[in-house]
Amino acid sequence: MSEEFRQRLKDYAEGKLSDEEKNEIEREMEKLEEYQAYVNEIMDNERSSDSGTPHAADGQTGLSPKKEKRIVRRGKWRARISNTLTVISAFLAIFVISSIITALFYGVGDPSRNDKYRDAIASAISISKPNIDVRLNSQVRAFFRQEMYGDIDKQVGSERVTVGEYTVNFLFGLPSVDVDWNNGSSGSSQIFYRPDSSAETSSANQEEPNEQSNEQNASTSSAKSGDWSRLEKLPEGTVAEAYVSFNRFFTTDELLKQFEDRNVEAVWFAVDTGPDDRFSGGDGVISHPVGFPSYPVWHHDDYTVTSYQEQKTGWFSKTTFSGGHYPSVDTYGDGELRNEHFIKSLRLLQEYDLIAERVAPFIDVDASLAYVEQNGVRLYGAVITGPVKELLTLREVSWVHDLRVGEVRLWNWIE
């Protein structure tokens, strides 16, 4: 708009124009109104044209159905990924926290709970499983669990043979036991016969029968029960494990002396804990004996430390070195030491009764301990191993009542 036209509009408003000039201004203003209406109409048409195509496809969203499905599918995947990441993050946090708590639960202390549990398991096995040794390894797992495991070994002849696998799983101190025997073996030969209650403990001065009585025993040896005929059929160049029952009770020292001059080895001793009518039906058969190995399974507090050294390896870590030894045991003596260790093991199982119930479920620990404390340690059987021909000589021994053959292996005996 020019400055001249502006001035004329001002004069029109103030009434300074002549009639002819007023009519001319009014005609110009009418033209401007028509121009404005035309411009508005064009602008409205352009707006309608711009928004017309989407509305034709979808009158509400302005998106095609294909695009809508794609957007919904992407939204679902984003939600799934977000939920998955949330669950994984929560699981990792729980895993880390539970691992820390588990390690502290089983590893803190001196001795640690892990060492105490291993001690109790080893003691329960040595007391309730004749000629069975399990050297336990332990592994702490997440979610408050710990696993102890090891091979089940027996001594047959001069060697240790593996007959299965033993596993104990703990959940915050609650144990469960899994035993996997090789070739389906389950130690079914571990049967002993308890002497009559009238049988007396042998005297330390009692001697072996003389030659005449040996001949008499030889004539009646065939009447003895057991696997003697099976033992006779085994090749001479083999070694075997035998479960031998006696017809009277022995003290530990007395029984050890009986094997001092024999070419066999007694590896486990059955201890009298009274008649067990729960499983035998009163016939004197003991299918779940209680006893102890020839070489004790020592406890953690039996170890005598003779040297100790600490070496710092970091700001908050250190390495310790210690040396020491367990008590020495005479092969054919130290009966009192063996007896005390056996009673100590029974008391340990009283303290860890849950472990005793799982590892030795058929053993009444309280009743066994009470009987032994009242009557002393009396032996009525043993697991003996050695050459087959040497085991056969036990048939002629007056105090041997029964023999059951266990594991058999090829010759490995060291003379």
Side-chain angles (χ1 to χ4, degrees), residues 56-301:
D58 191 323
Q60 294 180 350
T61 62
L63 298 175
S64 65
K66 186 175 181 181
K67 288 183 179 180
E68 280 188 349
K69 290 181 180 179
R70 188 181 302 166
I71 292 173
V72 171
R73 188 163 53 248
R74 288 177 180 175
K76 288 182 178 179
W77 276 108
R78 288 193 186 99
R80 290 171 183 170
I81 293 173
S82 177
N83 292 338
T84 302
L85 292 176
T86 300
V87 171
I88 292 174
S89 299
F91 176 81
L92 290 175
I94 295 173
F95 180 84
V96 171
I97 294 173
S98 69
S99 298
I100 294 173
I101 295 175
T102 303
L104 292 175
F105 180 80
Y106 291 106
V108 172
D110 186 20
S112 65
R113 188 176 276 106
N114 174 73
D115 294 335
K116 294 178 180 177
Y117 287 170
R118 184 191 290 112
D119 193 357
I121 294 171
S123 296
I125 292 174
S126 68
I127 285 175
S128 63
K129 311 294 183 185
N131 193 26
I132 291 292
D133 181 29
V134 181
R135 298 183 180 181
L136 293 168
N137 301 304
S138 61
Q139 183 175 5
V140 176
R141 301 187 178 275
F143 307 113
F144 322 113
R145 297 179 298 120
Q146 178 177 251
E147 181 182 60
M148 292 190 179
Y149 58 92
D151 292 334
I152 303 174
D153 293 336
K154 282 189 172 186
Q155 182 175 339
V156 184
S158 298
E159 295 181 354
R160 292 163 55 94
V161 297
T162 300
V163 296
E165 296 179 353
Y166 201 92
T167 305
V168 182
N169 291 297
F170 286 94
L171 177 61
F172 254 146
L174 299 176
S176 62
V177 177
D178 181 26
V179 182
D180 184 14
W181 296 95
N182 294 344
N183 302 321
S185 175
S186 60
S188 57
S189 299
Q190 60 178 39
I191 295 177
F192 292 96
Y193 291 90
R194 181 180 182 272
D196 295 335
S197 299
S198 58
E200 296 181 356
T201 304
S202 66
S203 169
N205 297 324
Q206 185 173 0
E207 298 179 356
E208 278 291 302
N210 55 29
E211 183 177 354
Q212 181 179 0
S213 60
N214 281 336
E215 293 177 357
Q216 182 178 0
N217 289 332
S219 63
T220 60
S221 61
S222 60
K224 287 190 174 182
S225 62
D227 290 345
W228 301 105
S229 60
R230 180 185 174 192
L231 199 63
E232 286 178 338
K233 293 180 174 63
L234 293 175
E236 184 176 344
T238 56
V239 294
E241 168 200 38
Y243 296 77
V244 182
S245 301
F246 312 140
N247 56 22
R248 62 174 180 264
F249 299 109
F250 286 88
T251 65
T252 303
D253 282 321
E254 289 167 353
L255 184 59
L256 289 169
K257 293 298 181 183
Q258 300 298 327
F259 295 100
E260 189 170 7
D261 297 324
R262 295 185 178 276
N263 192 26
V264 293
E265 182 178 355
V267 295
W268 193 87
F269 305 107
V271 178
D272 178 34
T273 57
D276 190 353
D277 298 332
R278 295 176 299 167
F279 310 104
S280 63
D283 55 1
V285 176
I286 305 296
S287 56
H288 300 285
V290 177
F292 58 88
S294 175
Y295 187 80
V297 176
W298 300 112
H299 308 303
H300 62 271
D301 56 353

Side-chain angles (χ1 to χ4, degrees), residues 356-372:
E357 290 174 3
R358 299 298 192 278
V359 178
F362 302 105
I363 305 301
D364 189 337
V365 176
D366 293 336
S368 298
L369 179 59
Y371 186 91
V372 170

